[in-house]
Coordinates of all heavy atoms in Angstrom, one line a residue:
M547 N 18.5 77.5 -35.2 CA 17.5 78.3 -35.5 C 16.2 77.9 -35.1 O 15.4 78.6 -34.5 CB 17.5 78.7 -36.9 CG 16.6 79.8 -37.5 SD 17.0 81.4 -36.7 CE 15.8 82.4 -37.6
A548 N 15.9 76.7 -35.5 CA 14.6 76.0 -35.1 C 14.3 76.0 -33.6 O 13.3 76.1 -33.0 CB 14.5 74.6 -35.7
N549 N 15.4 75.6 -32.8 CA 15.3 75.6 -31.4 C 15.1 77.0 -30.8 O 14.3 77.2 -29.9 CB 16.7 75.1 -30.8 CG 16.7 73.6 -30.9 OD1 15.8 72.8 -31.1 ND2 17.9 73.1 -30.8
K550 N 15.6 78.0 -31.3 CA 15.5 79.4 -30.9 C 14.0 79.8 -31.2 O 13.2 80.4 -30.4 CB 16.3 80.4 -31.7 CG 16.2 81.8 -31.1 CD 17.3 82.7 -31.7 CE 17.2 84.1 -31.1 NZ 18.2 84.9 -31.7
I551 N 13.3 79.4 -32.3 CA 12.0 79.7 -32.6 C 11.1 78.9 -31.7 O 10.1 79.5 -31.2 CB 11.7 79.4 -34.1 CG1 12.5 80.3 -35.1 CG2 10.2 79.4 -34.4 CD1 12.4 79.9 -36.6
T552 N 11.4 77.7 -31.5 CA 10.6 76.9 -30.6 C 10.6 77.4 -29.2 O 9.6 77.5 -28.5 CB 11.2 75.4 -30.5 OG1 11.1 74.9 -31.9 CG2 10.3 74.5 -29.6
H553 N 11.8 77.9 -28.7 CA 11.9 78.5 -27.5 C 11.0 79.7 -27.3 O 10.3 80.1 -26.3 CB 13.3 78.8 -27.1 CG 13.6 79.5 -25.7 ND1 13.3 78.9 -24.6 CD2 13.8 80.7 -25.5 CE1 13.5 79.6 -23.6 NE2 13.8 80.8 -24.1
V554 N 11.1 80.7 -28.4 CA 10.3 81.9 -28.5 C 8.7 81.6 -28.4 O 8.1 82.2 -27.6 CB 10.7 82.7 -29.6 CG1 9.7 83.9 -29.9 CG2 12.1 83.3 -29.5
L555 N 8.3 80.5 -29.2 CA 7.1 80.2 -29.2 C 6.6 79.7 -27.8 O 5.4 80.0 -27.4 CB 6.7 79.3 -30.3 CG 6.7 79.8 -31.7 CD1 6.5 78.7 -32.7 CD2 5.6 80.8 -32.0
A556 N 7.4 78.8 -27.2 CA 7.1 78.3 -25.9 C 6.9 79.4 -24.9 O 6.0 79.4 -24.1 CB 8.1 77.3 -25.6
T557 N 7.8 80.3 -25.0 CA 7.8 81.5 -24.1 C 6.4 82.4 -24.3 O 5.8 82.7 -23.3 CB 9.0 82.5 -24.3 OG1 10.2 81.7 -24.2 CG2 9.0 83.7 -23.3
L558 N 6.1 82.5 -25.5 CA 4.9 83.2 -25.8 C 3.7 82.5 -25.3 O 2.7 83.0 -24.7 CB 4.7 83.5 -27.4 CG 5.5 84.5 -28.0 CD1 5.4 84.4 -29.5 CD2 5.3 85.9 -27.5
I559 N 3.7 81.3 -25.5 CA 2.5 80.4 -25.0 C 2.5 80.4 -23.5 O 1.4 80.5 -22.7 CB 2.6 79.0 -25.5 CG1 2.4 78.9 -27.0 CG2 1.6 78.1 -24.8 CD1 2.7 77.6 -27.7
A560 N 3.6 80.3 -22.9 CA 3.6 80.3 -21.3 C 3.2 81.7 -20.9 O 2.4 81.7 -19.8 CB 5.0 80.0 -20.8
A561 N 3.6 82.7 -21.4 CA 3.2 84.1 -21.1 C 1.6 84.2 -21.2 O 1.0 85.0 -20.5 CB 3.8 85.1 -21.9
S562 N 1.0 83.5 -22.2 CA -0.5 83.7 -22.4 C -1.2 82.9 -21.4 O -2.4 82.9 -21.4 CB -0.8 83.3 -23.8 OG -0.6 81.9 -24.1
G563 N -0.6 82.0 -20.7 CA -1.2 81.1 -19.6 C -1.7 79.8 -20.1 O -2.3 79.1 -19.4
I564 N -1.1 79.3 -21.2 CA -1.5 78.1 -21.8 C -0.3 77.2 -21.6 O 0.9 77.5 -21.8 CB -1.8 78.1 -23.4 CG1 -3.0 78.9 -23.6 CG2 -1.9 76.7 -23.9 CD1 -3.1 79.2 -25.2
L565 N -0.5 76.0 -20.9 CA 0.6 75.1 -20.6 C 0.7 74.1 -21.6 O -0.2 73.2 -21.7 CB 0.4 74.6 -19.2 CG 0.3 75.5 -18.0 CD1 0.0 74.8 -16.8 CD2 1.5 76.3 -18.0
V566 N 1.8 74.1 -22.5 CA 2.0 73.1 -23.5 C 3.5 72.9 -23.6 O 4.3 73.8 -23.5 CB 1.6 73.7 -24.9 CG1 1.8 72.7 -26.0 CG2 0.1 74.1 -24.9
S567 N 3.8 71.6 -23.8 CA 5.3 71.4 -23.8 C 5.8 71.7 -25.3 O 5.0 71.8 -26.2 CB 5.6 69.8 -23.7 OG 5.1 69.1 -24.8
A568 N 7.1 72.1 -25.3 CA 7.7 72.6 -26.6 C 7.4 71.5 -27.7 O 7.3 71.8 -28.9 CB 9.1 72.9 -26.5
N569 N 7.5 70.3 -27.3 CA 7.4 69.1 -28.3 C 6.0 68.9 -28.9 O 5.7 68.4 -29.8 CB 7.8 67.8 -27.7 CG 9.3 67.8 -27.4 OD1 10.2 68.5 -28.0 ND2 9.7 67.1 -26.4
A570 N 4.9 69.4 -28.1 CA 3.7 69.2 -28.5 C 3.1 70.4 -29.4 O 1.9 70.2 -29.8 CB 2.7 69.1 -27.2
M571 N 3.9 71.4 -29.7 CA 3.5 72.5 -30.4 C 3.4 72.2 -32.0 O 2.6 72.9 -32.7 CB 4.4 73.7 -30.2 CG 4.2 74.2 -28.8 SD 4.9 75.8 -28.5 CE 6.6 75.4 -29.0
A572 N 4.2 71.5 -32.5 CA 4.4 71.2 -34.0 C 3.3 70.4 -34.6 O 2.8 69.5 -33.9 CB 5.7 70.5 -34.3
C573 N 2.7 70.8 -35.7 CA 1.7 70.1 -36.4 C 2.4 68.9 -37.2 O 3.6 69.1 -37.7 CB 1.0 70.9 -37.4 SG 0.2 72.4 -36.8
S574 N 1.8 67.8 -37.2 CA 2.4 66.6 -37.8 C 1.3 65.9 -38.5 O 0.1 65.8 -38.1 CB 3.0 65.7 -36.8 OG 3.3 64.4 -37.2
E575 N 1.6 65.1 -39.6 CA 0.6 64.3 -40.2 C 0.2 63.1 -39.3 O -0.7 62.3 -39.7 CB 1.2 63.7 -41.6 CG 2.4 62.8 -41.5 CD 3.7 63.4 -41.5 OE1 3.7 64.7 -41.4 OE2 4.7 62.8 -41.5
H576 N 0.9 62.9 -38.3 CA 0.6 61.8 -37.4 C -0.3 62.3 -36.2 O -0.6 61.4 -35.3 CB 1.9 61.2 -36.8 CG 2.7 60.6 -37.9 ND1 2.5 59.7 -38.6 CD2 4.0 61.1 -38.2 CE1 3.4 59.4 -39.5 NE2 4.4 60.4 -39.3
D577 N -0.7 63.5 -36.1 CA -1.6 64.0 -35.1 C -3.0 63.3 -35.1 O -3.6 63.1 -36.2 CB -1.8 65.5 -35.1 CG -0.6 66.3 -34.7 OD1 0.3 65.7 -34.1 OD2 -0.4 67.5 -35.1
Y578 N -3.6 63.0 -34.0 CA -4.9 62.5 -34.0 C -5.9 63.6 -34.4 O -5.7 64.8 -34.3 CB -5.3 62.1 -32.5 CG -4.6 60.7 -32.2 CD1 -3.6 60.9 -31.1 CD2 -4.9 59.6 -32.8 CE1 -3.0 59.7 -30.7 CE2 -4.3 58.3 -32.3 CZ -3.3 58.5 -31.4 OH -2.7 57.2 -30.9
L579 N -7.1 63.0 -35.0 CA -8.2 63.9 -35.4 C -8.5 64.7 -34.1 O -8.7 64.2 -33.0 CB -9.3 63.1 -35.8 CG -10.5 63.8 -36.4 CD1 -10.2 64.5 -37.6 CD2 -11.7 62.7 -36.6
G580 N -8.7 66.0 -34.4 CA -9.1 66.9 -33.2 C -7.8 67.5 -32.4 O -8.1 68.4 -31.6
S581 N -6.7 67.1 -32.8 CA -5.5 67.7 -32.1 C -5.3 69.0 -32.3 O -5.6 69.5 -33.5 CB -4.2 66.8 -32.4 OG -4.3 65.5 -32.0
V582 N -4.8 69.8 -31.4 CA -4.5 71.3 -31.6 C -3.0 71.5 -31.7 O -2.3 70.9 -30.8 CB -5.2 72.1 -30.5 CG1 -4.9 73.6 -30.8 CG2 -6.7 71.9 -30.6
C583 N -2.5 72.3 -32.6 CA -1.2 72.7 -32.7 C -1.1 74.1 -33.0 O -2.1 74.9 -33.3 CB -0.6 71.8 -33.7 SG -1.0 72.1 -35.4
L584 N 0.2 74.6 -32.8 CA 0.5 76.1 -33.0 C 1.4 76.2 -34.2 O 2.5 75.5 -34.1 CB 1.0 76.6 -31.6 CG 1.3 78.1 -31.7 CD1 0.0 78.9 -31.7 CD2 2.1 78.5 -30.4
V585 N 1.2 77.1 -35.0 CA 2.1 77.4 -36.1 C 2.5 78.9 -36.0 O 1.7 79.7 -35.6 CB 1.6 77.0 -37.5 CG1 1.3 75.5 -37.6 CG2 0.3 77.7 -37.8
A586 N 3.7 79.1 -36.5 CA 4.1 80.5 -36.7 C 4.0 80.9 -38.1 O 4.9 81.2 -38.8 CB 5.7 80.6 -36.2
A587 N 2.7 81.0 -38.5 CA 2.3 81.4 -39.8 C 0.9 81.9 -39.8 O 0.2 81.8 -38.7 CB 2.4 80.2 -40.8
S588 N 0.4 82.5 -40.9 CA -0.9 83.1 -40.9 C -1.9 81.9 -41.6 O -3.0 82.3 -41.8 CB -1.0 84.2 -41.8 OG -0.4 84.0 -43.0
Y589 N -1.4 80.8 -41.8 CA -2.2 79.6 -42.3 C -2.0 78.4 -41.6 O -1.0 78.3 -40.9 CB -2.0 79.6 -43.8 CG -0.5 79.2 -44.1 CD1 -0.2 77.9 -44.2 CD2 0.4 80.1 -44.3 CE1 1.2 77.5 -44.4 CE2 1.7 79.8 -44.5 CZ 2.1 78.6 -44.6 OH 3.4 78.1 -44.9
C590 N -2.8 77.4 -41.9 CA -2.6 76.1 -41.3 C -2.1 75.1 -42.3 O -2.4 75.3 -43.5 CB -4.0 75.5 -40.7 SG -4.5 76.5 -39.3
P591 N -1.3 74.1 -41.9 CA -0.8 73.2 -42.8 C -1.9 72.3 -43.5 O -3.0 72.2 -42.9 CB 0.2 72.4 -42.1 CG 0.0 72.7 -40.8 CD -0.7 73.9 -40.6
Q592 N -1.7 71.5 -44.5 CA -2.6 70.6 -45.1 C -3.0 69.6 -44.0 O -2.2 69.1 -43.2 CB -2.0 69.8 -46.3 CG -2.9 68.9 -47.0 CD -2.3 68.4 -48.2 OE1 -1.1 68.7 -48.5 NE2 -2.9 67.5 -48.9
G593 N -4.3 69.3 -44.0 CA -4.9 68.4 -43.0 C -5.3 69.1 -41.7 O -5.7 68.4 -40.7
F594 N -5.1 70.4 -41.7 CA -5.6 71.1 -40.4 C -6.4 72.3 -40.8 O -6.3 72.8 -41.9 CB -4.2 71.7 -39.8 CG -3.4 70.6 -39.1 CD1 -2.4 69.8 -39.9 CD2 -3.5 70.4 -37.7 CE1 -1.8 68.9 -39.3 CE2 -2.7 69.4 -37.1 CZ -1.9 68.7 -37.9
A595 N -7.2 72.8 -39.9 CA -8.1 73.9 -40.1 C -7.8 74.9 -39.0 O -7.5 74.5 -37.9 CB -9.6 73.4 -40.1
P596 N -8.0 76.2 -39.2 CA -7.8 77.1 -38.2 C -8.9 76.9 -37.0 O -10.0 76.6 -37.2 CB -8.2 78.5 -38.8 CG -8.2 78.3 -40.2 CD -8.5 76.7 -40.5
A597 N -8.3 77.1 -35.7 CA -9.1 77.0 -34.6 C -9.8 78.3 -34.3 O -9.5 79.1 -33.4 CB -8.3 76.5 -33.4
D598 N -10.8 78.6 -35.2 CA -11.4 80.0 -35.2 C -12.9 79.9 -35.0 O -13.7 80.9 -35.1 CB -11.2 80.6 -36.5 CG -11.7 79.9 -37.7 OD1 -12.4 78.8 -37.6 OD2 -11.5 80.4 -38.9
G599 N -13.5 78.8 -34.5 CA -14.9 78.6 -34.2 C -15.8 78.4 -35.4 O -17.0 78.5 -35.2
S600 N -15.1 78.1 -36.6 CA -15.9 77.9 -37.7 C -16.6 76.5 -37.7 O -16.2 75.6 -37.0 CB -15.0 78.0 -39.0 OG -14.0 77.1 -38.9
A601 N -17.6 76.4 -38.5 CA -18.4 75.2 -38.5 C -17.7 74.0 -39.3 O -16.9 74.4 -40.1 CB -19.8 75.4 -39.2
T602 N -17.9 72.8 -38.9 CA -17.3 71.7 -39.7 C -18.2 70.7 -40.1 O -19.3 70.5 -39.3 CB -16.2 71.0 -38.7 OG1 -15.6 69.9 -39.5 CG2 -16.7 70.4 -37.5
S603 N -18.2 70.0 -41.2 CA -19.0 69.1 -41.6 C -18.5 67.6 -41.5 O -19.1 66.7 -41.7 CB -19.4 69.3 -43.0 OG -18.2 69.1 -43.9
N604 N -17.3 67.6 -40.8 CA -16.6 66.2 -40.5 C -17.3 65.6 -39.4 O -17.1 65.9 -38.3 CB -15.2 66.5 -40.3 CG -14.4 65.3 -40.1 OD1 -14.8 64.3 -39.6 ND2 -13.1 65.3 -40.5
Q605 N -18.1 64.5 -39.8 CA -18.8 63.8 -38.7 C -18.0 63.2 -37.6 O -18.5 63.2 -36.4 CB -19.7 62.7 -39.4 CG -20.8 63.3 -40.3 CD -21.8 64.1 -39.5 OE1 -22.1 63.7 -38.4 NE2 -22.2 65.2 -40.1
M606 N -16.8 62.6 -37.9 CA -15.9 62.0 -36.9 C -15.5 63.1 -35.9 O -15.3 62.9 -34.8 CB -14.7 61.2 -37.6 CG -15.3 59.9 -38.2 SD -14.2 58.7 -38.8 CE -12.7 59.6 -39.3
L607 N -15.0 64.3 -36.5 CA -14.6 65.4 -35.8 C -15.7 65.9 -34.8 O -15.4 66.2 -33.7 CB -14.0 66.5 -36.6 CG -13.3 67.6 -35.9 CD1 -12.2 67.1 -35.1 CD2 -12.8 68.6 -36.9
K608 N -16.9 65.9 -35.4 CA -18.0 66.4 -34.4 C -18.2 65.5 -33.3 O -18.5 65.9 -32.2 CB -19.3 66.4 -35.3 CG -19.4 67.5 -36.2 CD -20.8 67.4 -37.0 CE -20.9 68.5 -38.1 NZ -22.2 68.3 -38.8
S609 N -18.1 64.2 -33.5 CA -18.2 63.2 -32.4 C -17.1 63.4 -31.3 O -17.3 63.1 -30.2 CB -18.2 61.8 -33.0 OG -16.9 61.4 -33.4
I610 N -15.9 63.8 -31.7 CA -14.8 64.1 -30.7 C -15.0 65.5 -30.1 O -15.0 65.5 -28.8 CB -13.5 64.0 -31.5 CG1 -13.1 62.8 -32.0 CG2 -12.4 64.6 -30.5 CD1 -11.9 62.8 -32.9
L611 N -15.4 66.4 -30.7 CA -15.6 67.8 -30.1 C -16.9 67.9 -29.4 O -17.0 68.8 -28.5 CB -15.5 68.9 -31.3 CG -14.2 69.0 -32.0 CD1 -14.3 69.9 -33.2 CD2 -13.0 69.3 -31.1
G612 N -17.9 67.1 -29.8 CA -19.2 67.3 -29.1 C -19.9 68.5 -29.6 O -20.8 69.0 -29.1
S613 N -19.5 69.0 -30.9 CA -20.0 70.2 -31.4 C -19.8 70.3 -32.8 O -18.9 69.5 -33.4 CB -19.3 71.4 -30.8 OG -19.7 72.6 -31.4
D614 N -20.6 71.0 -33.6 CA -20.4 71.1 -35.0 C -19.5 72.3 -35.3 O -19.2 72.7 -36.5 CB -21.7 71.3 -35.9 CG -22.4 72.5 -35.5 OD1 -22.1 73.1 -34.4 OD2 -23.4 72.9 -36.2
K615 N -18.9 72.9 -34.3 CA -17.9 74.0 -34.5 C -16.5 73.7 -33.9 O -16.4 73.0 -33.0 CB -18.5 75.2 -33.8 CG -19.7 75.8 -34.4 CD -20.0 77.1 -33.9 CE -21.2 77.7 -34.6 NZ -21.5 79.1 -34.2
L616 N -15.4 74.2 -34.7 CA -14.2 74.0 -34.2 C -13.9 74.9 -33.0 O -14.7 75.9 -32.7 CB -13.2 74.4 -35.2 CG -13.3 73.5 -36.6 CD1 -12.3 74.1 -37.6 CD2 -12.8 72.1 -36.2
P617 N -12.9 74.6 -32.2 CA -12.7 75.5 -31.0 C -12.2 76.9 -31.4 O -11.7 77.0 -32.5 CB -11.6 74.8 -30.2 CG -11.1 73.8 -31.1 CD -12.1 73.4 -32.1
S618 N -12.5 77.8 -30.7 CA -12.1 79.3 -31.0 C -10.9 79.6 -30.0 O -11.3 79.8 -28.9 CB -13.3 80.1 -30.8 OG -12.9 81.6 -31.2
L619 N -9.7 79.5 -30.5 CA -8.6 79.8 -29.7 C -7.9 81.0 -30.2 O -7.5 81.2 -31.3 CB -7.7 78.6 -29.7 CG -8.2 77.3 -29.3 CD1 -7.3 76.2 -29.5 CD2 -8.7 77.4 -27.9
Q620 N -7.5 81.9 -29.2 CA -6.8 83.1 -29.6 C -5.3 82.8 -29.5 O -4.9 82.5 -28.3 CB -7.2 84.2 -28.6 CG -6.8 85.6 -29.1 CD -7.5 86.1 -30.2 OE1 -7.8 85.4 -31.2 NE2 -8.1 87.3 -30.1
A621 N -4.5 83.1 -30.6 CA -3.1 82.7 -30.6 C -2.3 84.0 -30.4 O -2.8 85.1 -30.7 CB -2.6 82.1 -31.8
P622 N -1.1 83.9 -29.8 CA -0.3 85.2 -29.7 C 0.0 85.7 -31.1 O -0.1 85.0 -32.1 CB 1.0 84.5 -29.1 CG 0.7 83.2 -28.4 CD -0.5 82.7 -29.2
A623 N 0.4 86.9 -31.1 CA 0.6 87.7 -32.4 C 1.6 86.8 -33.3 O 2.6 86.4 -32.7 CB 1.2 89.0 -32.1
G624 N 1.3 86.8 -34.6 CA 2.3 86.2 -35.5 C 2.1 84.6 -35.5 O 2.9 83.9 -36.2
T625 N 1.1 84.1 -34.7 CA 1.0 82.5 -34.7 C -0.6 82.3 -35.0 O -1.4 83.1 -35.0 CB 1.4 81.9 -33.4 OG1 0.6 82.5 -32.3 CG2 2.8 82.3 -33.1
K626 N -0.9 81.0 -35.1 CA -2.2 80.6 -35.3 C -2.4 79.0 -34.8 O -1.5 78.3 -34.9 CB -2.5 80.5 -36.9 CG -3.9 80.1 -37.2 CD -4.1 80.0 -38.7 CE -4.7 81.3 -39.3 NZ -5.7 82.1 -38.8
Y627 N -3.4 78.9 -34.0 CA -3.8 77.6 -33.6 C -4.5 76.8 -34.7 O -5.4 77.3 -35.5 CB -4.7 77.6 -32.3 CG -3.9 77.9 -31.0 CD1 -4.1 79.1 -30.4 CD2 -3.1 77.0 -30.6 CE1 -3.4 79.4 -29.3 CE2 -2.3 77.2 -29.4 CZ -2.5 78.4 -28.8 OH -1.8 78.7 -27.6
C628 N -4.2 75.5 -34.9 CA -4.8 74.7 -35.9 C -5.3 73.5 -35.4 O -4.7 72.9 -34.4 CB -3.8 74.5 -37.0 SG -3.1 75.9 -37.8
V629 N -6.4 72.9 -35.9 CA -7.1 71.6 -35.5 C -6.9 70.6 -36.6 O -7.3 70.9 -37.7 CB -8.5 71.8 -35.2 CG1 -9.2 70.6 -34.7 CG2 -8.6 73.0 -34.2
S630 N -6.5 69.4 -36.1 CA -6.2 68.3 -37.2 C -7.6 68.0 -37.6 O -8.6 67.5 -36.8 CB -5.5 67.2 -36.5 OG -5.5 66.0 -37.4
V631 N -7.9 67.9 -38.9 CA -9.2 67.5 -39.5 C -8.9 66.2 -40.4 O -10.0 65.7 -40.9 CB -9.8 68.6 -40.3 CG1 -10.2 69.7 -39.4 CG2 -8.9 69.1 -41.4
A632 N -7.8 65.7 -40.4 CA -7.5 64.5 -41.3 C -6.7 63.4 -40.6 O -6.3 62.5 -41.2 CB -6.7 65.0 -42.5
G633 N -6.5 63.5 -39.4 CA -5.6 62.5 -38.6 C -6.4 61.3 -38.3 O -7.7 61.2 -38.6
P634 N -5.7 60.4 -37.7 CA -6.5 59.1 -37.3 C -7.4 59.4 -36.2 O -7.1 60.2 -35.3 CB -5.3 58.2 -36.9 CG -4.2 59.0 -36.7 CD -4.3 60.2 -37.4
Y635 N -8.5 58.6 -36.0 CA -9.4 58.8 -34.9 C -8.8 58.2 -33.7 O -8.2 57.1 -33.7 CB -10.8 58.0 -35.2 CG -11.9 58.3 -34.4 CD1 -12.8 59.4 -34.7 CD2 -12.1 57.6 -33.1 CE1 -13.8 59.7 -33.8 CE2 -13.2 57.9 -32.4 CZ -14.0 58.9 -32.7 OH -15.1 59.2 -31.9
P636 N -8.8 59.0 -32.5 CA -8.1 58.4 -31.3 C -9.0 57.2 -30.8 O -10.1 57.2 -30.8 CB -8.2 59.6 -30.4 CG -9.2 60.5 -31.0 CD -9.3 60.4 -32.4
T637 N -8.2 56.3 -30.3 CA -8.9 55.1 -29.7 C -8.9 55.3 -28.1 O -8.1 55.9 -27.6 CB -8.1 53.8 -30.0 OG1 -6.8 54.0 -29.5 CG2 -8.1 53.5 -31.5
R638 N -9.8 54.5 -27.5 CA -10.0 54.6 -26.1 C -9.0 53.6 -25.5 O -8.8 52.6 -26.0 CB -11.4 54.3 -25.6 CG -12.4 55.3 -26.1 CD -13.7 55.0 -25.5 NE -14.6 56.0 -26.1 CZ -15.3 56.8 -25.3 NH1 -15.4 56.7 -24.1 NH2 -16.2 57.6 -25.8
P639 N -8.4 54.0 -24.3 CA -7.6 53.0 -23.7 C -8.2 51.7 -23.1 O -9.3 51.6 -23.1 CB -6.9 53.8 -22.5 CG -7.8 55.1 -22.3 CD -8.6 55.1 -23.6

């Protein structure tokens, strides 16, 4: 069942013109700060905020995004894009 849902979501994303691998769609507590994921729900999991263009007071997230606002991403019907607001800060290579 989970593979079928993942396939449907991947198809929806591909149809919308966004190129994302099926493995990159799930939200995880190991996501880096500022990572974007897609959920098949009307809410974001703990540690994530909706990618709806709202303001953030998280200073580390602001330094990654270069803005005091979260990205504003339009998700396919029945899904929501979420931004990690509690993950580890990404390091430079």
Side-chain angles (χ1 to χ4, degrees):
M547 179 71 169
N549 284 340
K550 186 174 184 178
I551 292 171
T552 300
H553 178 71
V554 169
L555 288 175
T557 303
L558 288 171
I559 290 171
S562 70
I564 300 171
L565 301 175
V566 180
S567 74
N569 294 333
M571 291 189 302
C573 297
S574 164
E575 68 271 6
H576 303 295
D577 285 346
Y578 286 111
L579 185 67
S581 295
V582 177
C583 65
L584 181 68
V585 295
S588 59
Y589 61 91
C590 292
Q592 184 176 358
F594 290 82
D598 60 4
S600 59
T602 179
S603 60
N604 184 324
Q605 294 299 318
M606 291 192 325
L607 186 56
K608 285 180 184 181
S609 73
I610 293 169
L611 299 175
S613 170
D614 63 345
K615 293 188 177 189
L616 297 173
S618 181
L619 303 173
Q620 193 74 312
T625 63
K626 182 180 268 315
Y627 282 111
C628 303
V629 179
S630 173
V631 295
Y635 194 89
T637 57
R638 294 182 185 240

